[in-house]
Amino acid sequence: MMEPLLLGHVIIFALSAIACVAAIPQARKIQHPGTREGFIVFLGSVALWSGGYIGYLIAPTRPAKIAFYILGFVVAFVAVGSWLYFCAAYTGRPPRHTPFRNLILGTFLLFTALKITNPLHNLYFTTEWVTEPFPHLVIHHELLYWIVLGLSYAAITVGFFVLMERFYHTGSDSRPLVVLVGLSGLPALATILGSRVDWLLPLMYEPPGVALFAVGTLFFYRQRFEAIRLTGESDKPAIFLDQESCIRDYNQAARRLFPELEESFGKPLDAVNPALAEHLTKQDVLSIPRDDGTRYYDVSSTPFLAGEVMTGQLVTVSDVTERESYRKRLEEKTNQLEALNRVVRHDIRNDMTVIHGWAEILENHIDEDGEDALNRVLQKSRHVIQITEVARDFVESLSDDGTAELEEIELQPILDAELATVRDSFSNAQFQVSGELPNVSVQANEMISSVFRNILENAVRHNDKETPEITVTSEVEMGTVRIRIADNGPGIPDNQKEQIFGKGEKGLDSPGSGIGLYLVHLLTDQFGGEVWVEDNDPNGSVFVVELPIHMPSNKAS
């Protein structure tokens, strides 16, 4: 049965190896090739380093223990090299172009050879078989070990420095990385105290700390580093530019979309892709012809700041082909609506006006039996003419895209004219004004007449009384004017008071909503006003139109 202390050491190193191996699939998702390669090798070497120590602890023979220890010893050096490779690739320093690369490689091979041949010269370590606290092979580290260990930590520190430098120049939060460094350094104390504490073996305990750092850095990389490296999980093409708008990095999505980015490091963006550079300051979309048709993209830029100084910018390209296609379909429908508007205004309305005119001529030429039929024809023809006017106004309001040109409009003449029109059209109804109509001007346009015409006509058409009674009142206060149009009809239930205007998501499909009241809502909104309905006393409804009063200092919007 394995001694508890030995078992504890095996478990610690085994967990370190398992954690690193389990993290490799996540590391493979890193988009940037150099960064991905460096980090995968870093995780793998730490796993092998831990595995070498496991073999050293449980191998049955002395030669096997020494062989496993040397394996872990050598792989530890690989871990240092892969860490530096990762840091260089991440910060935009191509590892394959590192100064003194051959000298560094030669030094690595020399120390590796000395580690492998240690049984011949014992410059790194010597061994001794002991029985306390359990039978095991003790490693006594010699001077060269501590020299190489110091050089390794110096190299690791260089990697941390270049990372911190990048974080500093991008203004990013480096505190999580500092915490990881602190946690990973704790096992180094166990290494130093290994020969002085009974329950510690004279080993390098760095693998658990490095494994913790590696896995923690991978998580941190995916959460923070990726935003800086521009190679995160997002599928959006991204390009990192420096202060001079020169290309410093890009992700794989950007390279696929813009093949000319290949080998473009250090070149100005406007020299590599003038159209993309131009759209950094333009508001329209970037169109790119593809085999499957033209694609459309929004180009946005996010600056990186160090204090108040911009050290670079992240250019993100978003595919908006679906949105742009939808906009083009809307534009086509708008053109179709305008064509329909011309048909309604010129063809249908003109023909109905002719029909109504001939029907009026017939009034003095028919007998008593035909009077009812003629009255129905006249009534329906007037109704069709009114519908064409509403449809015309509705289409014109839509073609304004919600941004109407407003001007000063005197309200009283508009109300007088619309009241006169409905009195002529609905002889069976009574229209009266309580008090005086407001002598003010509002910010609107000529379509304001449609607002009051539709409310007045609606008050008659949906009235269940034999004699509809409509009363118009007004009030002026706090820079606004309110026109209240009350009727004696059946009233409107509370749960339909907003739906009748087609507000919210239902639009024209709202229960009880007609195109006329929907038009009222659209127009009052364009004029900066509101419309709502209240209960009348004792019965009926009150439509309230509130509009801002035109002031001399107001500018047309």
Side-chain angles (χ1 to χ4, degrees), residues 490-500 511-512 533-535 540-541:
I492 299 172
D494 290 340
N495 61 357
Q496 293 185 19
K497 281 185 167 63
E498 286 196 6
Q499 295 180 12
I500 61 170
V533 63
E534 300 173 351
D535 292 329
S541 302

Side-chain angles (χ1 to χ4, degrees), residues 461-475:
R461 290 201 184 98
H462 297 282
N463 202 305
D464 57 354
K465 301 296 189 296
E466 184 176 349
T467 302
E469 297 178 1
I470 292 85
T471 304
V472 179
T473 60
S474 65
E475 56 186 73

Side-chain angles (χ1 to χ4, degrees), residues 430-496:
Q430 294 181 3
F431 295 89
Q432 60 181 351
V433 176
S434 178
E436 296 183 355
L437 294 177
N439 186 19
V440 297
S441 297
V442 295
Q443 296 184 106
N445 55 32
E446 68 279 358
M447 292 189 69
I448 191 174
S449 58
S450 293
V451 172
F452 300 110
R453 182 190 319 138
N454 280 286
I455 294 177
L456 290 168
E457 292 177 356
N458 185 78
V460 178
R461 290 201 184 98
H462 297 282
N463 202 305
D464 57 354
K465 301 296 189 296
E466 184 176 349
T467 302
E469 297 178 1
I470 292 85
T471 304
V472 179
T473 60
S474 65
E475 56 186 73
V476 177
E477 60 177 21
M478 299 295 293
T480 61
V481 57
R482 288 182 181 175
I483 306 300
R484 307 172 68 89
I485 301 175
D487 62 63
N488 63 339
I492 299 172
D494 290 340
N495 61 357
Q496 293 185 19

Side-chain angles (χ1 to χ4, degrees), residues 113-124:
L114 289 172
K115 290 180 178 182
I116 295 174
T117 59
N118 184 78
L120 301 176
H121 50 71
N122 294 324
L123 294 176
Y124 267 104

